[in-house]
Amino acid sequence: MLVEFAVKNFRSLRDEQRFSMVASPDKHHEDTNVFASGFAGATRLLRTAVIYGANAAGKSNFLHALRTMKDIVTLSAKESLRGDDLPIIPFRLDESVDEPTQFEATFVHDSVKYQYGFSATSTQIIEEWLYAFPEGRAQKWFERKFDSQSEKYTWKFGSSLKGSKISWSIATRENSLFLSTAVNLNSEQLKPVFDWFHVKLRLILGSGDVNSSYSIDLLDDPSSRNGILRFLKGADLGIEELEMKPKKPPEEVIRAMKLFEENKMLSDAQRSAYLKSVGRSVNVKHTKVNGEEVWFGLDEDESMGTIKLFSYAGPFLDVIRKGRIIVVDELNNSLHPIILKNIVEMFHDPKINTNNAQLIFASHGTSILSLEIFRRDQIWFVEKTTSHATEIYPLSDFSPRKDTLLSRGYLQGRYGAVPFISQSFIDE
């Protein structure tokens, strides 16, 4: 469960911006959109949140900040080498470029709340900290800070953190996180923190993050296959059945793989995995008006929206079943507004979302910008200030009435976060 995320000095986000999934005292949609966390200070959390804003206002940058934090946590100690740059891009329109970028996430995992963060430049970690709240009381597990005068790190470890703390700190490179290094060296106590980023948090921020392969993998399991079929049937696509068919890879692929095998550049496991990924296709069944069945190839005969929905089906089904967090940029692309509404309401339905999965997404589609679907604290806006820096803020800052037509007010600029189109945009 995500409680809060904060970022400072990353891309267009110059000043610290805080995004919260903590529910306000408002009781609107209490039985559907809110769930109990059981933790002091964040006893009620939101199931979903949507972010609106103009093009280039910083919606994607904000979501990419969360992706960058996850990438640094999961990759810094395992795949990076000494001297490798970190994927840090500071705000570059003033002197902030010389200051470190900062990330902090507060979340709940395995019935414990954690507050973890770090600041970094492209070359090194400047600070890193972790607090745990196993019984509602804060425990400092570790703090790490770089001293520019001595060019060394100072370390503070709490008594609650067990294990070879000194050895782990010595093994931590300046461009790696202590958290990642300690887990890589078998710290059992820190694994839940690492696993929240690695396993619980899923992001779909571009075409490279989602394809049909994950949904295809789930078709091997009858229960998952039925779940995907129900997901597609609920979208009224006319699909009545799914089947997976083997597909022979192109001849050039077979020749290349044979060459790799002869030169011992491809293991049996790699060969099997690759053949599995390229050697399967999905057919979908429709029914003719005379009652006869007809099978279409998903990739060859179906629309882009249907293909995208099938690609989303696997990740969404997995997230809801396992109580994870999914973050999606431009979820409305290629999806009908009613389908988008149904996806959101699937997360709001406590009978479906039994494990309190969370959905966070950016959108331009105003069809769901409604207090009939969301609470005021679930709707967020992003806009650029006069200094070209991104700010993010919730609709609850404006306290609109529950009968307000939000989509009209938003497009009229009542809440900001809309583009200003100058006359020069259309003049020759």
Side-chain angles (χ1 to χ4, degrees):
M1 295 178 273
L2 176 66
V3 177
E4 187 177 73
F5 174 66
V7 56
K8 179 180 179 182
N9 193 26
F10 178 79
R11 295 192 177 187
S12 62
L13 301 136
R14 182 189 63 185
D15 305 314
E16 183 181 87
Q17 302 298 315
R18 286 194 172 267
F19 172 84
S20 176
M21 294 293 283
V22 177
S24 70
D26 185 1
K27 299 300 181 182
H28 190 47
H29 294 314
E30 182 74 15
D31 296 331
T32 53
N33 300 22
V34 177
F35 66 94
S37 73
F39 291 90
T43 55
R44 297 159 57 252
L45 297 177
L46 302 169
R47 297 183 188 272
T48 69
V50 58
I51 303 173
Y52 284 93
N55 294 106
K59 299 188 304 298
S60 295
N61 285 343
F62 182 77
L63 300 182
H64 275 282
L66 190 54
R67 153 68 61 79
T68 300
M69 184 180 190
K70 171 175 175 165
D71 286 347
I72 295 175
V73 168
T74 57
L75 302 177
S76 71
K78 185 181 297 183
E79 298 187 11
S80 66
L81 300 173
R82 184 177 298 280
D84 284 354
D85 283 346
L86 296 164
I88 296 294
I89 303 175
F91 185 82
R92 295 188 290 182
L93 297 181
D94 63 18
E95 66 279 358
S96 298
V97 70
D98 298 321
E99 299 176 0
T101 295
Q102 182 170 303
F103 307 98
E104 184 180 73
T106 303
F107 53 91
V108 175
H109 185 46
D110 287 351
S111 301
V112 178
K113 188 174 80 170
Y114 299 96
Q115 182 179 343
Y116 173 72
F118 58 87
S119 65
T121 65
S122 62
T123 58
Q124 72 175 115
I125 305 297
I126 303 301
E127 293 185 59
E128 184 182 4
W129 58 93
L130 173 62
Y131 296 88
F133 303 77
E135 296 177 355
R137 296 181 180 179
Q139 296 179 353
K140 179 175 69 178
W141 282 12
F142 68 82
E143 291 179 356
R144 164 196 185 190
K145 187 173 183 179
F146 182 73
D147 187 335
S148 58
Q149 299 295 321
S150 64
E151 296 189 345
K152 294 181 179 179
Y153 286 98
T154 57
W155 296 84
K156 295 181 180 179
F157 294 106
S159 59
S160 300
L161 180 63
K162 310 301 181 182
S164 306
K165 294 173 280 192
I166 303 301
S167 298
W168 298 336
S169 65
I170 293 172
T172 302
R173 301 188 305 271
E174 64 178 13
N175 64 340
S176 294
L177 296 171
F178 174 79
L179 169 66
S180 311
T181 303
V183 169
N184 202 38
L185 295 174
N186 298 317
S187 169
E188 291 295 329
Q189 192 175 358
L190 293 176
K191 280 183 179 179
V193 182
F194 181 90
D195 287 345
W196 185 85
F197 288 96
H198 184 54
V199 178
K200 284 287 186 179
L201 179 63
R202 179 159 193 163
L203 299 103
I204 301 177
L205 305 186
S207 57
D209 290 331
V210 61
N211 54 58
S212 60
S213 62
Y214 190 81
S215 294
I216 291 175
D217 286 342
L218 293 182
L219 296 181
D220 290 328
D221 174 59
S223 175
S224 297
R225 178 178 165 280
N226 290 335
I228 291 175
L229 185 59
R230 286 196 302 272
F231 187 86
L232 298 178
K233 283 183 175 181
D236 193 27
L237 303 174
I239 293 174
E240 300 176 357
E241 190 54 85
L242 298 165
E243 67 175 6
M244 191 165 51
K245 291 287 188 179
K247 181 172 64 176
K248 185 180 179 181
E251 289 298 326
E252 59 269 22
V253 172
I254 295 175
R255 288 195 297 268
M257 293 183 68
K258 184 177 180 181
L259 181 63
F260 285 146
E261 289 171 343
E262 289 173 350
N263 290 276
K264 298 182 179 180
M265 298 172 62
L266 196 68
S267 68
D268 290 341
Q270 289 172 320
R271 182 180 186 279
S272 176
Y274 188 76
L275 284 174
K276 184 178 179 182
S277 66
V278 301
R280 297 176 301 166
S281 63
V282 174
N283 291 339
V284 297
K285 187 179 83 171
H286 295 267
T287 300
K288 296 181 181 181
V289 292
N290 63 5
E292 294 180 7
E293 66 180 42
V294 58
W295 290 87
F296 292 161
L298 178 67
D299 292 332
E300 297 84 2
D301 302 315
E302 296 291 346
S303 70
M304 184 62 68
T306 298
I307 295 171
K308 184 171 184 178
L309 200 61
F310 175 79
S311 298
Y312 277 146
F316 279 122
L317 180 65
D318 182 69
V319 165
I320 284 182
R321 283 183 172 179
K322 298 176 181 177
R324 295 176 175 173
I325 305 100
I326 189 164
V327 181
V328 188
D329 197 8
E330 305 297 356
L331 179 58
N332 59 295
N333 285 354
S334 301
L335 297 180
H336 191 279
I338 293 178
I339 294 177
L340 178 59
K341 178 175 178 286
N342 286 344
I343 290 174
V344 172
E345 291 181 341
M346 181 173 64
F347 279 83
H348 287 169
D349 189 340
K351 295 180 181 178
I352 297 174
N353 188 6
T354 57
N355 292 312
N356 298 324
Q358 292 173 301
L359 167 66
I360 300 165
F361 67 101
S363 177
H364 287 297
T366 58
S367 62
I368 61 168
L369 184 52
S370 166
L371 291 178
E372 293 183 0
I373 301 172
F374 294 107
R375 294 158 47 96
R376 287 179 287 240
D377 50 8
Q378 291 179 279
I379 299 171
W380 291 74
F381 299 110
V382 167
E383 72 173 359
K384 289 282 187 71
T385 66
T386 54
S387 59
H388 307 291
T390 293
E391 288 188 345
I392 182 167
Y393 51 92
L395 175 65
S396 53
D397 285 355
F398 297 88
S399 300
R401 296 200 324 248
K402 292 179 182 178
D403 60 351
T404 299
L405 187 59
L406 293 183
S407 57
R408 178 184 296 175
Y410 169 63
L411 294 176
Q412 291 174 344
R414 190 175 301 168
Y415 313 116
V418 292
F420 173 76
I421 308 299
S422 66
Q423 188 65 29
S424 61
F425 184 79
I426 55 176
D427 285 346
E428 294 184 358

